[in-house]
Amino acid sequence: MSTLNKKTVEDIEVKGKKVLVRCDFNVKMENGVITSDKRIVASLPTIKYLIDQGAKLILCSHLGRPKGAFDPEFSMAPVAARLSELLGKEVKLASDVVGESAQALAAELQDGDVMLLENVRFEPGETKNDPELSKKFASLAEVYVNDAFGSAHRAHSSTTGVADYLPSAVGYLIQKEIQFIGGALEDPKRPLVAILGGAKVSDKIGVINNLLEKCDKLIIGGGMAYTFFAAQGLNVGNSLVDTENIENAKGMMQKAKDLNKPFLLPVDNMIATKYDVTAPYMTIYSDSIPDGWMGLDIGPVTSELYAKSILDAGTIIWNGPMGVTEMPQFEGGTVSVAKAIAETDAISIIGGGDSAAAIKKLGFADKMSHISTGGGASLEFLEGKELPGIACIDEKE
Ligand code: AMP
């Protein structure tokens, strides 16, 4: 499936039409108060564009994990209030999802008005992608726009099913994910270099396999490197090893060889006696890790090697930190790689939750071309899986 040909909000006629927009308003809350409105702010470009075009907006999202029935703890009321402030206009909240209140408010909408449905997960059919619920969503509007990338890997009524019954398009957030991640996978500026780190091989097998086929060079760091060392018969001490995936790791190294693709592993490491910020630590070559020690970051020689090996990249996809960035003495590898990426002219794409958080914490966010807004969704995208929330959208003619 190509994702690059999907209709966007700019490809559809919306003036005077009711447009159902699936947003990602799954904000962090504490005691009914929004602690980060980042996701609401990220949705504004699509919402403002549709307002400017004279559409009648019916917004919807899930929030938390209610159990298929109204629960005041998960009401969208705080989101409606924050949205009203950010847009400088009233956003009316329906007291239900697709019931009488939603229908009545939708019927009253004027061009440029905005309303919000209650939490879509108050409807038990939502997560089952129930066609009856999808039809009810569709009956509220004339056009469907999906802009919830973080939920695009889930086939639910409001993310996927509803598109069976309405003309559809993606919003700007999903458009950007498609442009960068879809673009890198389907039509990258070469060489395409993938840098993969993080804790476990098991979480990334699909990503490594898919990227091995698509990329020109694959670079491994983080805790997952030690499973590859173990697969080569090296001593790894107490480093993180995914014993169930040693055979898989061997298979991936063989696949890289068969495809004639460079597959880089750390040549040196920062090791410590314990997973503890106060533990003694030192640098050591990968073939000399002593018993009783564990690798917690790539070493300085590796950092330099990795920096050099991405110099000529056209596109870089990075997922997962090079070391334990939660401890300052083991964030060096991740910082070096981030700096090196920032200094290249390559298109740089950061996928997945933890790497995005590490990049932001270390202050490199504005140096990257694209930081994906979806954790699970971006991993599945990188694995080459079809995302139902994107697959369901109409293609450009
Ligand atoms: P992931 O969610 O797979 O991207 O993994 C991110 C986590 O991997 C972070 O919490 C890091 O602390 C952890 N991590 C990175 N390198 C290592 C390592 N060498 N040993 C243990 N954990 C690591």
Side-chain angles (χ1 to χ4, degrees):
M1 178 201 68
S2 171
T3 56
L4 301 179
N5 205 31
K6 293 294 175 182
K7 275 192 181 168
T8 77
V9 277
E10 294 184 13
D11 298 315
I12 48 172
E13 188 50 60
V14 294
K15 180 155 181 45
K17 288 189 184 164
K18 288 190 207 117
V19 182
L20 177 71
V21 189
R22 176 54 159 98
C23 301
D24 178 5
F25 294 146
N26 187 26
V27 289
K28 290 194 185 124
M29 305 259 291
E30 256 169 51
N31 304 321
V33 177
I34 297 172
T35 52
S36 166
D37 66 358
K38 212 173 56 184
R39 289 185 169 162
I40 304 178
V41 171
S43 312
L44 294 177
T46 299
I47 295 170
K48 284 186 176 161
Y49 172 80
L50 291 169
I51 293 173
D52 289 347
Q53 296 298 307
K56 298 167 175 161
L57 277 78
I58 304 169
L59 310 180
C60 68
S61 172
H62 80 279
L63 174 62
R65 296 188 169 201
K67 305 216 158 40
F70 183 84
D71 179 344
E73 191 191 333
F74 299 104
S75 168
M76 301 301 289
V79 174
R82 185 71 190 116
L83 251 180
S84 300
E85 284 168 17
L86 289 166
L87 290 172
K89 68 191 300 170
E90 188 186 12
V91 175
K92 282 196 181 142
L93 176 68
S95 60
D96 52 27
V97 185
V98 288
E100 279 174 20
S101 166
Q103 289 165 23
L105 284 183
E108 284 166 17
L109 288 173
Q110 302 296 311
D111 293 0
D113 278 357
V114 185
M115 65 175 278
L116 176 63
L117 303 179
E118 253 306 355
N119 191 334
V120 292
R121 290 196 186 166
F122 288 170
E123 282 291 335
E126 165 65 6
T127 54
K128 300 187 186 93
N129 197 13
D130 174 8
E132 290 313 310
L133 177 61
S134 303
K135 278 184 209 163
K136 284 186 190 161
F137 275 123
S139 71
L140 293 173
E142 293 149 280
V143 177
Y144 169 68
V145 169
N146 190 7
D147 209 20
F149 181 70
S151 301
H153 56 317
R154 313 232 182 265
H156 292 172
S157 274
S158 71
T159 62
T160 305
V162 60
D164 285 345
Y165 309 102
L166 288 177
S168 56
V170 296
Y172 288 119
L173 277 179
I174 293 195
Q175 184 190 2
K176 191 165 178 253
E177 301 284 350
I178 290 176
Q179 180 194 341
F180 282 97
I181 303 185
L185 296 175
E186 288 182 43
D187 185 22
K189 188 169 172 231
R190 292 193 183 272
L192 170 62
V193 180
I195 307 174
L196 298 174
K200 289 197 225 133
V201 176
S202 58
D203 296 342
K204 310 272 167 84
I205 289 174
V207 177
I208 300 176
N209 262 322
N210 188 42
L211 290 182
L212 250 181
E213 278 161 28
K214 311 265 164 155
C215 74
D216 301 296
K217 189 186 287 178
L218 203 131
I219 296 176
I220 300 279
M224 72 159 83
Y226 302 97
T227 303
F228 289 94
F229 289 175
Q232 290 174 324
L234 295 176
N235 192 28
V236 294
N238 295 334
S239 305
L240 203 62
V241 172
D242 200 344
T243 41
E244 281 172 21
N245 280 301
I246 291 181
E247 283 309 308
N248 263 326
K250 275 186 197 160
M252 284 182 244
M253 289 188 286
Q254 188 57 47
K255 184 169 169 178
K257 231 181 230 162
D258 296 344
L259 294 168
N260 205 13
K261 304 225 169 132
F263 189 93
L264 277 60
L265 286 164
V267 294
D268 66 341
N269 312 268
M270 302 289 287
I271 59 172
T273 51
K274 268 199 295 187
Y275 185 90
D276 190 311
V277 74
T278 60
Y281 63 96
M282 63 178 179
T283 308
I284 194 116
Y285 282 104
S286 298
D287 59 2
S288 312
I289 299 175
D291 286 336
W293 292 69
M294 57 176 74
L296 295 178
D297 194 8
I298 58 173
V301 178
T302 307
S303 289
E304 208 164 299
L305 188 82
Y306 285 3
K308 277 198 190 123
S309 69
I310 58 171
L311 273 178
D312 68 336
T315 308
I316 299 167
I317 297 178
W318 183 10
N319 179 288
M322 296 291 100
V324 180
T325 51
E326 293 89 340
M327 301 186 207
Q329 64 272 47
F330 305 118
E331 69 176 28
T334 305
V335 171
S336 297
V337 168
K339 266 195 191 140
I341 295 176
E343 279 163 18
T344 68
D345 295 327
I347 298 166
S348 48
I349 300 157
I350 314 300
D354 266 324
S355 8
I359 295 290
K360 284 178 191 157
K361 190 193 93 182
L362 299 172
F364 290 96
D366 59 349
K367 302 279 196 316
M368 305 298 155
S369 314
H370 177 61
I371 298 183
S372 178
T373 53
S378 80
L379 272 184
E380 290 197 20
F381 207 166
L382 292 174
E383 281 175 34
K385 285 192 186 157
E386 182 176 274
L387 303 183
I390 295 179
C392 69
I393 299 297
D394 294 342
E395 304 233 327
K396 290 181 195 174
E397 276 102 43

